[in-house]
Amino acid sequence: MPQTSERKGANSPSFRNVLESFKYWPRILKLLWQTNPLYFLLVFGLNGITSLIPAASVMLTQMLMTQVGIAQQTGILQPVLMVFALFAGLALFREISRIISDNYQAIFSERLSNSINMQLMKKADHLPYRYFEDAEAYDKLQRARQDSSFRPFQIFQQILQIIGGTITLLSVAGVLFYWQWWLALVLLLIPLTSSFSYLRVGEEEFQIDWNRAAERRKQSYFLGLMTTDASVKEVKVFGIGSLLLEKYRQMYERFFKEDKKLLLKRMRITLFFQIVGIGAVIGTQLLVVQQTVAGVLTIAMMMAYIQAIAQTQATSSSLLQTLFVMYQNNLYVSQLFAFLDIEESEESIVQRPYVSTKQAEQTGFVFQNVSFRYPGTDHYVLKNINLQLKPGETLAIVGENGSGKSTLVKLLVRLYELEEGDILYQGRSIRSYSVKAWRDLMGTVFQDFIRYELTARENIALGNWREAEHAEAVEMAAKNSGATTVLERLPLGLDTQLGKWFKEGVQLSGGQWQKIAIARAYMRDAALFVLDEPSAALDPKAEKEVFDKFAELTVDKMGIFISHRYSTVRNADRIIFMQQGEILESGTHASLMKRNGSYAVLYQMQAAAYIDNQEQQSPA
Ligand SMILES: Nc1ncnc2c1ncn2[C@@H]1O[C@H](COP(=O)(O)OP(=O)(O)OP(=O)(O)O)[C@@H](O)[C@H]1O
């Protein structure tokens, strides 16, 4: 699996790696600019101006000392007070601009994380379904989601710090250059040498995290299992809570050990370079003192230079720290943008014009030599399927587990794209329709349909959101699916909140939920209705009702019904029996029984079991 393998190119960072990792700056800056150009200029402008304050205060210190010396001799205080006024003005300006800048940055932070989350959701909505049945793609999504809400904003702050820090450094070091250029150079070079060690640790941290994507997903899966109503039931009944907890703990312990090792490594590097840095500062400051004693520098100059040296060292080392953290953030953000940049297959985004099929040949749906393998597998789960479903027909699909029934439906509703063969609707290939136009032809209920924690009305109206306002459409869909009996028992009818996640929610039984899900499909003005195993939760009577209604509804439409209950499907216009990806038998119930093949055998088996059961329940 790729998630356990080493990331390509993950060696110690070269200067080029570092530069390359900054390639997302323009995208982040563009996002912020689009948020509000005026705020953007304000924040950057204030940052630039305030970055000059340290250099200004070094110069003011020198001026103050000089003016104090003069005032001691002349007794004139005015110049001293003026310098003080400048100091006060500077401090005031710094505080005001900090408050303004912080506020606008907070606005940006909100906007940026929302915009990125929305881009992620949009991307997920556009990506083909196969990405969601693929572990590797899930890991990509996990890496992209992880910290995506705050890392881009941190990068923005770091961009500000780097620009500001560079201005501060150049302006303060300028003061030192003026006096002794080599001194400024030494102070700049020391932190530079430490930078590559920092970058290396950053890369290592990222690498560890990168390798963890799959395990992190598993961790949150365990967390979900233990905290979500759908799974908690089974966790309790089987008593596997402590087992899941233990697995979670083991992963956490391993992560913790790795993290601790890395933190200690980072601490050692930081300690070493900080000591060297402080040594350099003390050494140069001593030199300044010695020069002052020798009469080369005035006291005022000495104070200014001592301040400038400390400031240069502090700024350059914090600048490098920022670079290091930003490099690391860039690595994470690169995962986010890599996900956002996944190429969408043309089919998933191109909206071809919907062509009216009214005048076209009324041939319904035709499968022509369809064979299918799931992406990344060699095994054919559908083999050479040929099938026609004419307008007004109902088709039942039966067959053992894993025989390919749901896969057939997934291809039909276009969750996967066809590779071999074709599916036609009214004589035109599936490939000539946009995905949306094709899906608009159908109303589908899956085995694992969603129980939306919304009102009953919304649960149904989601099938055709454009009709949500039309109460009659919702009521009709409910009537057709047999959900009216469910709605009648709800305290607020259609406006009752369903599920238990939100206030005043009413929980339904599995079968009741299923009727609501079927109503959702019936909201669509579809040419074809697909019901994938509604018998999973419906009682036999309810299933028969659903099927009869279904047959009624599909008078001029088409219907596909997958079921394991042979007694219900016998009324279908046609039944196909699938085995290992192939259509083994096809015909009406009567013709299949006459043929006495696999269908007939299984039908009789179920019927016999049913009669046995009845006899046991009502002994003579
Ligand atoms: N996403 C997937 N990736 C790879 N193989 C898959 C995937 N989904 C299903 N399969 C395989 O395809 C085969 C057909 O599965 P399918 O779900 O279509 O069967 P089915 O007839 O609907 O079964 P059931 O009656 O149990 O619902 C199975 O062997 C299954 O393991």
Side-chain angles (χ1 to χ4, degrees), residues 545-593:
E545 265 172 39
V546 165
F547 188 73
D548 290 346
K549 269 275 175 224
F550 184 62
E552 223 176 86
L553 275 178
T554 51
V555 171
D556 58 335
K557 312 217 169 199
M558 286 161 275
I560 294 185
F561 198 73
I562 299 182
S563 179
H564 283 291
R565 221 178 257 163
Y566 286 56
S567 56
T568 333
V569 303
R570 56 178 289 172
N571 292 327
D573 296 325
R574 196 143 45 97
I575 301 165
I576 59 170
F577 182 88
M578 291 190 67
Q579 197 175 55
Q580 294 180 13
E582 286 176 292
I583 299 179
L584 200 67
E585 295 168 16
S586 165
T588 58
H589 171 73
S591 72
L592 291 177
M593 290 307 286

Side-chain angles (χ1 to χ4, degrees), residues 177-198:
F177 262 105
Y178 176 72
W179 173 51
Q180 233 150 33
W181 63 268
W182 60 268
L183 207 76
L185 216 61
V186 168
L187 288 172
L188 291 178
L189 276 178
I190 290 172
L192 203 66
T193 50
S194 63
S195 62
F196 284 96
S197 311
Y198 283 129

Side-chain angles (χ1 to χ4, degrees), residues 133 374 381 401-407 410 416 447 533 564:
E133 286 200 334
Y374 277 98
V381 294
N401 293 129
S403 57
K405 303 180 295 294
S406 297
T407 307
K410 282 189 208 162
Y416 283 89
Q447 263 169 288
E533 269 190 68
H564 283 291

Side-chain angles (χ1 to χ4, degrees), residues 285-302:
Q285 284 176 339
L286 264 176
L287 188 73
V288 171
V289 172
Q290 184 261 324
Q291 298 264 309
T292 313
V293 173
V296 181
L297 298 174
T298 63
I299 297 277
M301 284 164 96
M302 179 188 84

Side-chain angles (χ1 to χ4, degrees), residues 1-6 134-137 139 143 210 214 217:
M1 273 298 202
Q3 63 266 32
T4 51
S5 64
E6 288 289 292
D134 175 67
E136 197 188 331
D139 285 341
R143 286 189 195 106
W210 198 92
R217 198 150 60 76

